[in-house]
Amino acid sequence: MSERDRYSVQTNFQTGIFQTQWKNSILKELFRKTIHLCSAFVPLFLKYFYYQTIVLLFFALIFYSVSEILRLKGKNIPLVSKVTEVAARKRDENKFVLGPVTLVIGIILASLLWEQDKATMGIFALAFGDGFASLFGKLFGRVHIPFTQGKTACGSLTCFFAVYVSSFAVCRSCLVSLVIAITAMLAEVIPMKDFDNVVIPVLVGGLGTLLL
């Protein structure tokens, strides 16, 4: 085999590995954000079963935390540990996966701090804005924003439009929705790792309370 042929085979092999890794990364992100998007149903339960939903979220938080501690000690909990393993990102390997904890805390805080419609805007911003931003950023993001640890312009714009639409669906105010969408986009682009799950719903809910 000539040097040129060997180089071609090696390049194709490396390209194949890269494509497989990228595909697995997208599937993992899709699975994670599907969980994220499911939080959009929480306001519906809060509307009809407020106290029961808050209590259930607290129990879910405790149950998940215990399950993660046991998983790290080699004692897997059926279904929960497997879901966590599948959804975990590379940075979370062999660590306590914090994302679900901050997600639930963010929802609980927004629900306790703000009125129903303002909390709903905050939870929607978390579910749709942060959820779609990450997914679309990975799929279509080409222009990376400096000093944001990989955030993309595509992801940020997706966050803006998703939050604008979801906020307008609640408050019916173009101006308020615009201010909230810009704020959520700026918050999402800050590299806070999993803690944006807490900041975004609380911040958006508070801003909605201030403006409406």
Side-chain angles (χ1 to χ4, degrees):
M1 182 182 293
S2 67
E3 185 67 26
R4 182 177 180 180
D5 289 338
R6 282 197 297 269
Y7 177 77
S8 178
V9 170
Q10 184 179 7
T11 301
N12 290 336
F13 179 71
Q14 291 174 340
T15 301
I17 292 176
F18 175 78
Q19 289 176 341
T20 300
Q21 290 175 337
W22 184 83
K23 181 179 178 181
N24 291 337
S25 174
I26 293 300
L27 290 174
K28 186 180 288 289
E29 194 66 22
L30 181 61
F31 182 76
R32 288 182 62 252
K33 293 310 174 182
T34 297
I35 299 173
H36 224 72
L37 291 169
C38 286
S39 62
F41 291 104
V42 173
L44 179 64
F45 295 112
L46 287 169
K47 182 177 181 179
Y48 296 104
F49 310 101
Y50 180 82
Y51 293 107
Q52 296 91 328
T53 302
I54 295 295
V55 170
L56 186 61
L57 288 171
F58 269 113
F59 273 113
L61 179 62
I62 294 169
F63 178 71
Y64 172 80
S65 299
V66 172
S67 299
E68 268 298 270
I69 292 171
L70 291 175
R71 183 182 68 84
L72 292 175
K73 292 183 177 181
K75 300 176 182 179
N76 290 337
I77 304 298
L79 186 61
V80 178
S81 297
K82 186 61 179 178
V83 169
T84 303
E85 182 182 338
V86 172
R89 290 164 292 193
K90 189 172 182 61
R91 75 183 190 205
D92 295 323
E93 290 179 359
N94 301 317
K95 297 179 182 178
F96 188 104
V97 180
L98 196 59
V101 172
T102 55
L103 180 74
V104 175
I105 290 175
I107 293 172
I108 290 174
L109 286 177
S111 303
L112 294 176
L113 289 172
W114 315 125
E115 295 177 353
Q116 176 72 43
D117 56 339
K118 283 76 175 184
T120 297
M121 286 193 290
I123 294 169
F124 280 177
L126 175 62
F128 300 120
D130 189 45
F132 283 130
S134 180
L135 184 59
F136 277 68
K138 278 190 173 294
L139 283 171
F140 308 111
R142 296 294 180 270
V143 179
H144 291 269
I145 303 172
F147 312 112
T148 62
Q149 297 181 7
K151 300 291 181 75
T152 65
C154 177
S156 294
L157 289 174
T158 300
C159 177
F160 171 82
F161 285 112
V163 174
Y164 179 85
V165 171
S166 62
S167 296
F168 183 79
V170 177
C171 70
R172 301 295 178 179
S173 170
C174 292
L175 181 58
V176 171
S177 300
L178 179 63
V179 173
I180 286 176
I182 292 173
T183 304
M185 179 184 68
L186 293 176
E188 192 277 333
V189 82
I190 299 172
M192 294 182 283
K193 296 185 177 180
D194 292 311
F195 290 98
D196 57 354
N197 291 340
V198 177
V199 173
I200 289 175
V202 173
L203 178 63
V204 168
L207 192 57
T209 301
L210 183 65
L211 297 176
L212 291 172

